[in-house]
Amino acid sequence: MDLEARAHSEHAHELRLWLRLLTCSQLIEKRVRAGLREQFDTTLPRFDLMAQLERHPEGLKMKELSHRLMVTGGNVTGITDQLVNEGLVERLDVDGDRRAFRVALTEHGRTTFTEMARQHESWIVDAFEGLSPRDLESLHKLLGKVKAHQLDINQRIEE
């Protein structure tokens, strides 16, 4: 039973919509995780780390990676160690700081990530295949309104 199926009729539309969003997100993520595992023998956290490095060819310090991935430094270290052992990423010295290093994709890592990203995109497109272009545009616009409103709320809370 998924989150949405647990909702009772007395729930407000907003709560039912929230549960539907969560359920859709979980179902799509489940498909992506399974695909990464089956086709590339990798995990979503490893894919996410490589995605960050793909956006920063010069590499990122471990602290930056940890911040961007919103995980602990220990998690990033463990994933990075695995990817280094597989030749997908490398540690590079940081000029002027002997204690720090950057992590960057190797050429093999970049090629592998490109293949994974192409497949990842295909899984996401498949997830929305049942929607018309008009539906996609409407959904995008409506979710954009929700996002903007929530950003306003979050900003007011932080002030």
Side-chain angles (χ1 to χ4, degrees):
M1 180 180 291
D2 62 28
L3 288 172
E4 188 181 348
R6 289 185 221 151
H8 301 287
S9 60
E10 70 267 15
H11 288 108
H13 287 298
E14 292 83 352
L15 181 56
R16 292 177 60 205
L17 179 58
W18 168 243
L19 293 174
R20 180 160 289 184
L21 284 169
L22 285 175
T23 300
C24 287
S25 176
Q26 289 174 345
L27 290 170
I28 293 168
E29 186 175 309
K30 182 178 179 181
R31 171 65 186 111
V32 168
R33 286 181 187 275
L36 287 170
R37 185 178 53 252
E38 292 164 7
Q39 292 188 27
F40 300 100
D41 193 28
T42 196
T43 63
L44 188 56
R46 289 166 50 115
F47 175 84
D48 289 342
L49 188 146
M50 293 176 73
Q52 289 298 322
L53 296 177
E54 197 275 335
R55 293 183 194 113
H56 300 276
E58 73 283 1
L60 291 169
K61 290 182 180 177
M62 295 295 275
K63 187 175 180 178
E64 293 171 317
L65 266 172
S66 175
H67 177 74
R68 290 173 189 274
L69 295 170
M70 294 187 284
V71 296
T72 66
N75 286 342
V76 171
T77 299
I79 294 170
T80 299
D81 289 346
Q82 293 171 12
L83 295 173
V84 166
N85 290 336
E86 295 173 30
L88 296 169
V89 303
E90 60 187 342
R91 289 185 169 93
L92 305 169
D93 292 333
V94 173
D95 291 337
D97 188 349
R98 293 186 330 195
R99 295 181 304 169
F101 58 88
R102 290 177 291 122
V103 179
L105 288 174
T106 62
E107 196 54 43
H108 175 54
R110 190 168 309 285
T111 301
T112 301
F113 179 77
T114 299
E115 195 177 323
M116 286 192 294
R118 189 176 12 255
Q119 187 58 55
H120 178 273
E121 183 178 333
S122 173
W123 294 321
I124 301 303
V125 169
D126 287 349
F128 293 97
E129 198 173 63
L131 300 178
S132 70
R134 186 175 180 177
D135 289 341
L136 287 170
E137 185 59 35
S138 294
L139 183 58
H140 188 262
K141 190 179 288 185
L142 290 171
L143 290 174
K145 286 182 178 181
V146 173
K147 178 182 175 183
H149 179 66
Q150 190 59 49
L151 286 170
D152 286 345
I153 291 172
N154 291 356
Q155 188 173 10
R156 278 184 269 146
I157 291 171
E158 292 170 6
E159 291 175 348

